[in-house]
Amino acid sequence: MAVLVTGGAGYIGSHMVYALADAGEEVVVLDNLSTGFWWAISPAARLVEGDIGDEALLGQLTRDHKFDAIIHFAGSIVVPESVSDPLAY
């Protein structure tokens, strides 16, 4: 099964990526690395550095991989920043 994990370089997403990879699934991680870390991702997964708002990138990924599932962990969660710059959220 091919799975896209958005935000897969973050704390929770990276644990899901390891679980999927350990189960033998094909895993592609889409993350902009703004708060995640490339080294947190299972070496068995493919990292694509990019933003979930990039429609062309998402279209290309879905055409290339024919995902069976998408698991969405991407998001911004810094409360003080969301108050000071609400339009970014």
Side-chain angles (χ1 to χ4, degrees):
M1 177 168 70
V3 181
L4 173 64
V5 180
T6 66
Y11 181 75
I12 297 170
S14 64
H15 283 80
M16 175 59 75
V17 170
Y18 267 98
L20 290 165
D22 288 348
E25 307 300 348
E26 174 194 347
V27 184
V28 176
V29 173
L30 177 60
D31 200 298
N32 66 9
L33 300 179
S34 63
T35 58
F37 303 95
W38 63 267
W39 48 261
I41 299 169
S42 168
R46 175 178 175 223
L47 170 63
V48 175
E49 189 174 346
D51 194 271
I52 62 169
D54 184 339
E55 291 181 37
L57 176 58
L58 282 172
Q60 189 62 52
L61 285 173
T62 56
R63 283 188 296 278
D64 290 349
H65 295 279
K66 309 275 192 272
F67 295 115
D68 298 295
I70 299 173
I71 304 174
H72 176 59
F73 291 110
S76 298
I77 59 168
V78 181
V79 175
E81 184 179 289
S82 72
V83 172
S84 66
D85 187 12
L87 294 178
Y89 285 73

